[in-house]
């Protein structure tokens, strides 16, 4: 899936990653959530899964954008 196919819920393109503005939260066309952040090794995951860390403020911004 290309980034252009996602709806950005957070960030304005001026963050520490430049126009990629990570960490960030996106919504897919099907309504699922995609999170961009620093890779975490907090625990061992099943094959095919990944963990990322994002600041609480980014998650709160995404929740506000969704109107939850």
């Amino acid at each position: 899936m290309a980034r252009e196919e996602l709806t950005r819920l957070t960030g304005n393109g001026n963050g520490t990653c430049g126009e990629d503005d990570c960490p960030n939260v996106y919504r897919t066309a099907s309504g699922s959530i995609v999170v961009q952040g620093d890779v975490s090794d907090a625990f061992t995951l099943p094959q095919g899964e990944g963990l990322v860390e994002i600041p609480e403020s980014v998650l709160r911004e995404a929740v506000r954008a969704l109107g939850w």
Side-chain angles (χ1 to χ4, degrees), residues 2-64:
R3 183 184 304 224
E4 295 78 27
E5 298 176 57
L6 303 172
T7 301
R8 182 186 286 197
L9 300 176
T10 58
N12 59 12
N14 295 322
T16 58
C17 293
E19 290 186 22
D20 292 338
D21 200 28
C22 59
N24 220 326
V25 178
Y26 300 88
R27 189 173 200 177
T28 68
S30 65
S32 62
I33 303 296
V34 176
V35 178
Q36 174 186 3
D38 294 327
V39 175
S40 174
D41 60 0
F43 58 90
T44 303
L45 290 167
Q47 187 173 2
E49 295 185 7
L51 288 176
V52 298
E53 292 185 32
I54 61 169
E56 181 180 328
S57 61
V58 173
L59 188 55
R60 288 180 182 276
E61 183 181 351
V63 168
R64 279 193 300 275

